[in-house]
Amino acid sequence: MKGFLERGVPKYSSRGSSATPSPNSTSPSVSSDSAPSESKPYKAASLWSSFFASAFAAFESHSESSPCEKKVIHTRSNGWTSAVKRVVTSGSMRRIQERVMGSSKTGISSTTSDIWLLGECYRISQDESSTGAASYDGIAAFKHDFSSRILMTYRKGFNSIGDTKYTSDAGWGCMLRSSQMLLAQALLLHQVGRSWRKSLEKPLDQEYIKILHLLGDSEVSAFSIHNLLEAGKDYGLAAGSWVGPYATCRSWESLARHRRGQTDSEHQTLPMAVYVVSGDEDGERGGAPVVCIEDASRRCFEFSNGQAAWTPILLLVPLVLGLEKINTRYIPSLRATFTFPQSLGILGGKPGASTYIVGVQDDNAFYLDPHDVQPTINISGDDLEADTSSYHSDLIRHIPLDLIDPSLAIGFYCRDKDDLDDFCHRASKLADESSGAPLFTVTHTHKLSKPVDHIDMSGDTEVQDDDSFGMVTMNDVGGLAHEDDWQLL
């Protein structure tokens, strides 16, 4: 549940820290490449979350006591653990969570403003030339699109994670599940395109079923929480512990690198490069993250094993946009990112409860919620008759943008160089219109960086040092770093 507060700094951090921070640790400064400082105010949520995780661990663990001792312990605690298990693995957990942190609002508001859902616009407004039926069609299309997004929730009953006794992630895995949803959307965009909608008839789409198989809850599935936790050990990921957006993004980068080393470029389970966008000078001075085209190209080149300068690429941008709550200066820019065709949404939500934000209408954010506990289902990659209903929801929840946790991460998927160029144009324009408070900026190359050898592989792939995107140089970013509220986004 406590999914937004950062939990780990990589052991090979540029700051040289090798210790794993405690759940209440804080960082003196905020950047995108050194784990952002934790938000402070959510002690109540933390205490309740700790109770749930500890209670769940109690009945997931097995005592090493002697048979005689086990009998005594079992008699003394059986009633308590049974009660906790019923609460944690049933709808009672959501009711308690909502009692502590506030209930979710559902449905669509009565406003006639347009809805943006992961780059798609649904027009609800009515003018003199439109009819009520047209407005209804917009709402119906939005609902169909929303319910077609892949939902990942807490699961129970899977094989234990690593050397632990955890067979469920209830109470602690919401950030991991939220990130799986974002990855699932990237895979859907890559494999079947943005126009894809879940079919009501069977057999189901082969590529869709393959994606669900990759996200299964076992070590066999490439993008299971089992494998994500293993890949994220250097960033503090561990079963039963909460983790923030930064560490989660870095863990996906690590998992993608690990999987790439196991297979050739033509049979990658994640068919795209991964680029976690960092701040100025690798995050050393804080400030807005910088999308560097040279870095993006380098990651594509590495992903293709030197065969191409550009490949599909997943951009992950972890941000901290305030201390106790989000700085409202950033809300217009956050809202605008959902108009990008490359949008993959946001890992974000209520303080202490990670969700996957997929759309906006006015100042409200629509999201998919991972906090329901469901039995484990591992779908075979060729089972086109599978029951996939637990991977979708038609319950539309929303939250005001100014109430989301300031620690979050934005995702984008670019299919090719042209798509990346379009993203850079949009991102640069958004930064120019941000009144000095950009979420991130764009540059061609790092200051004083060495040339990237593969950039000159062919004339049409060379990165030109021009002003086509209206981009700033890294030197310019350094100057902006002294502006008001720049160090802490």
Side-chain angles (χ1 to χ4, degrees):
M1 291 167 62
K2 197 170 188 298
F4 293 101
L5 310 187
E6 293 299 322
R7 291 290 171 248
V9 178
K11 292 181 179 179
Y12 43 90
S13 166
S14 59
R15 297 184 186 279
S17 174
S18 61
T20 301
S22 66
N24 296 318
S25 64
T26 59
S27 173
S29 63
V30 175
S31 73
S32 291
D33 201 55
S34 59
S37 63
E38 298 179 349
S39 304
K40 299 178 181 179
Y42 315 122
K43 295 181 180 178
S46 177
L47 290 173
W48 279 97
S49 299
S50 298
F51 166 77
F52 292 139
S54 300
F56 199 87
F59 61 77
E60 292 296 346
S61 303
H62 299 277
S63 173
E64 299 299 328
S65 307
S66 66
C68 183
E69 291 173 323
K70 286 180 180 178
K71 185 174 181 179
V72 175
I73 294 172
H74 176 79
T75 302
R76 187 167 51 211
S77 61
N78 180 62
W80 182 82
T81 55
S82 296
V84 171
K85 187 169 185 177
R86 285 195 298 272
V87 169
V88 174
T89 60
S90 70
S92 301
M93 184 175 183
R94 174 175 291 284
R95 289 192 292 273
I96 291 177
Q97 175 199 340
E98 292 183 349
R99 186 70 177 270
V100 174
M101 290 181 288
S103 60
S104 301
K105 294 183 179 180
T106 60
I108 301 174
S109 66
S110 59
T111 178
T112 57
S113 300
D114 295 345
I115 296 174
W116 282 95
L117 178 66
L118 300 174
E120 292 284 326
C121 181
Y122 294 95
R123 302 199 177 280
I124 312 300
S125 61
Q126 300 180 37
D127 53 35
E128 295 180 357
S129 62
S130 65
T131 65
S135 177
Y136 175 79
D137 288 344
I139 294 175
F142 162 72
K143 290 181 176 179
H144 190 198
D145 191 354
F146 181 90
S147 63
S148 294
R149 299 313 103 203
I150 292 176
L151 170 69
M152 302 297 296
T153 71
Y154 291 151
R155 296 283 180 171
K156 61 180 179 179
F158 49 67
N159 292 334
S160 59
I161 298 174
D163 296 330
T164 75
K165 300 298 183 180
Y166 284 97
T167 60
S168 173
D169 61 316
W172 55 269
C174 57
M175 175 57 72
L176 305 182
R177 295 301 186 181
S178 299
S179 70
Q180 283 183 317
M181 288 189 260
L182 188 148
L183 182 76
Q185 179 60 21
L187 291 170
L188 284 175
L189 271 179
H190 180 82
Q191 300 291 5
V192 295
R194 183 61 184 87
S195 62
W196 178 88
R197 301 292 183 268
K198 183 180 181 296
S199 174
L200 299 178
E201 306 294 332
K202 294 182 179 179
L204 300 171
D205 297 328
Q206 177 74 68
E207 295 301 330
Y208 160 67
I209 290 297
K210 285 182 179 179
I211 292 172
L212 294 186
H213 171 69
L214 291 173
L215 294 166
D217 291 311
S218 71
E219 294 179 356
V220 175
S221 296
F223 307 130
S224 65
I225 63 170
H226 297 65
N227 291 324
L228 181 58
L229 287 167
E230 178 64 27
K233 284 183 176 180
D234 286 340
Y235 297 96
L237 267 66
S241 298
W242 296 284
V243 65
Y246 170 83
T248 302
C249 291
R250 287 295 181 187
S251 298
W252 279 113
E253 181 182 51
S254 178
L255 179 57
R257 187 183 305 113
H258 175 71
R259 300 296 302 186
R260 185 170 69 242
Q262 293 182 328
T263 56
D264 58 71
S265 58
E266 295 183 1
H267 300 89
Q268 293 290 332
T269 50
L270 184 61
M272 62 193 74
V274 178
Y275 175 19
V276 179
V277 180
S278 64
D280 184 21
E281 294 186 1
D282 204 27
E284 281 299 311
R285 294 212 310 267
V290 180
V291 177
C292 178
I293 296 179
E294 182 182 80
D295 286 349
S297 179
R298 182 180 297 109
R299 282 160 177 77
C300 291
F301 187 74
E302 293 171 353
F303 169 76
S304 67
N305 293 323
Q307 300 302 307
W310 296 103
T311 67
I313 187 168
L314 169 62
L315 305 176
L316 298 172
V317 190
L319 298 166
V320 177
L321 302 179
L323 289 175
E324 297 187 355
K325 63 180 182 179
I326 193 168
N327 187 327
T328 56
R329 296 175 63 190
Y330 300 99
I331 290 179
S333 293
L334 275 180
R335 186 170 52 237
T337 62
F338 287 95
T339 68
F340 287 26
Q342 302 83 10
S343 171
L344 294 177
I346 296 174
L347 303 183
K350 297 178 182 178
S354 176
T355 65
Y356 176 40
I357 300 176
V358 295
V360 291
Q361 183 184 34
D362 293 330
D363 290 328
N364 283 323
F366 298 103
Y367 65 92
L368 290 167
D369 192 346
H371 292 91
D372 286 320
V373 184
Q374 303 187 88
T376 293
I377 299 177
N378 286 311
I379 295 177
S380 171
D382 56 2
D383 185 3
L384 304 186
E385 301 292 329
D387 178 5
T388 65
S389 59
S390 67
Y391 287 98
H392 298 272
S393 174
D394 56 7
L395 180 59
I396 299 172
R397 293 186 172 96
H398 59 87
I399 183 176
L401 280 167
D402 61 358
L403 294 184
I404 66 174
D405 194 291
S407 181
L408 52 86
I410 313 176
F412 302 95
Y413 166 79
C414 298
R415 184 176 297 275
D416 50 33
K417 180 61 164 60
D418 289 340
D419 206 17
L420 181 68
D421 287 348
D422 180 75
F423 166 77
C424 290
H425 277 293
R426 294 172 185 273
S428 297
K429 181 180 179 182
L430 183 61
D432 291 341
E433 297 172 350
S434 66
S435 300
L439 297 173
F440 54 88
T441 58
V442 182
T443 185
H444 282 289
T445 184
H446 285 295
K447 178 184 177 182
L448 300 179
S449 61
K450 295 181 179 179
V452 181
D453 295 336
H454 70 270
I455 294 298
D456 294 323
M457 291 174 60
S458 64
D460 59 350
T461 60
E462 182 178 357
V463 175
Q464 298 294 331
D465 204 4
D466 57 31
D467 297 323
S468 57
F469 301 133
M471 300 175 188
V472 298
T473 65
M474 292 300 291
N475 194 38
D476 295 329
V477 173
L480 290 172
H482 297 291
E483 293 187 5
D484 180 44
D485 284 338
W486 184 265
Q487 289 284 49
L488 178 63
L489 292 182

